[in-house]
Amino acid sequence: MASRSYGACILCQKAIVRMVCRNRIRGMSAAAAAHPEPMITFLNGVPHKKHPGVTNLKTLHLPEELSSAAYSIIKRAEVAGLTDRSQSLTNFLWSRKRAPEDVTLRQKARNLENVLWEKAKEKGEDVDQQDLEVRIRHKVMSELKRTTYHWTPMRYDEELGVTYMAARLAGGYAAVRRALNEIKKRDPLFAPHSLLDFGSGLGTSVWAAHSFWGDSLKEMICVDSSGPMNALAERLLKGDNESAEPHIKQVYFRQFLPVSPKVQFDVVLGAFSLSELPGQREREETLFTLWRKTSSYLVLVENGTKDGHQILMEAREILLKKQDKTVHDTRAASVFAPCPHEQPCPKLARVNIVPCNFNQRYHPLPLPGHPEHMMEKFSYLILTRKEPADLGEGLDWARLIAPVQRRPRHVHCHTCSADGQIKHWVITARKHSRDVYRCARSSDWGDQLPIIQSEEEDLESDSERSY
């Protein structure tokens, strides 16, 4: 009897397991039906780890010709204390802020003056009004000098240019190439013939663009006000050999933007250059000039700091909302990346502003003091004149704005979504379909995520959970 009871228990357990499995399969089928985004819709037969929203790149190397030329120039220059100087320059450029606006300074001075006058009234001392006014004015000026960022324009001679090469050549290349990869991945048929690089510096943007579109680019204009930087960029193209042919042909150097507003370029780039302009008015004028010269894509890159992010969001607002006085191309601007919407940036609406930035891993130049790998943190903005119908899928996919947290059978994703909100998703195969779940596990910070939100879906808003 005991053996029969034991056998019956085993049979019961097996029946229960079969029933649980059947219910689980039915539940997964129901979930898949509730999220009708099957693999063939957005994967097009590619593996999940290479889904269309993946725009991150593996650890980047400088092109061999560029790396060899840079090493040769640095070695021949023999800059004293180059390791320490390049690190100091890197720190300085990262912490560099925008030039303070006159309007902001005047308002700050008025507020401070009002506070000092109120304090003087509270004391109720019988003092000479003219003498008090002089003292308050002196205090206001002293406080402004103490608390205001003292911005000065960067002036590069050959020695500082070589130091900049050691400090920023590889990092700048990594940031621009990662931004351009967004276009290459999402608009694969795009084959630009012309490029304009504003604030070209050492010409790293040309090298980055050439790595994607070297077969189609026929004209590249580099604009930089620094003559020594233009000379160094040309030496890099020629492999530090004046008699050699440039590795990339059809590259022309200028110190000023082309005059004619009717001349357009397929791609217009501005990397780490808007932040070097002396004020808001100059930035606005430059932005309109660059946009007039854009026929397809305008790509802007800045440091991944609060100031860098805010400069790009101001540029976004100007080109989307303000009317240019000179219009030759009536096609409106639209945001291509990284924002999946054209509403105000939700990160700027917070009390404690955290910049929207992204990381790209790269190999620096093989110089003393440089580690094997480094990480470039940057912010970017891409605007386009193209119609949404010409850009394929993914325009409204959520953008991952923080590292993906992978857990057993679920994934935590923090995204900026098409409705202009920051959201925290807990993605599972049961709720979001197996394909979306596996894509989420294969994605990382900066990628797009093919999430189709339904009303009954359970997600936490950013206000419910911080990251």
Side-chain angles (χ1 to χ4, degrees), residues 149-160:
Y149 180 75
H150 299 287
W151 185 91
T152 55
M154 295 291 295
R155 302 192 185 281
Y156 289 94
D157 55 17
E158 184 176 348
E159 187 173 275
L160 185 56

Side-chain angles (χ1 to χ4, degrees), residues 76-88:
R76 289 172 62 179
E78 297 182 346
V79 177
L82 180 63
T83 301
D84 292 338
R85 290 180 65 177
S86 63
Q87 186 58 56
S88 296

Side-chain angles (χ1 to χ4, degrees), residues 62 67 70-71 74 81-90 162-171 362-375:
L62 284 172
S67 180
Y71 188 79
I74 291 169
L82 180 63
T83 301
D84 292 338
R85 290 180 65 177
S86 63
Q87 186 58 56
S88 296
L89 181 60
T90 299
V162 171
T163 305
Y164 182 86
M165 187 185 299
R168 294 291 304 136
L169 181 72
Y362 67 95
H363 291 281
L365 286 169
L367 297 171
H370 282 182
E372 185 180 354
H373 303 100
M374 294 182 74
M375 195 72 76

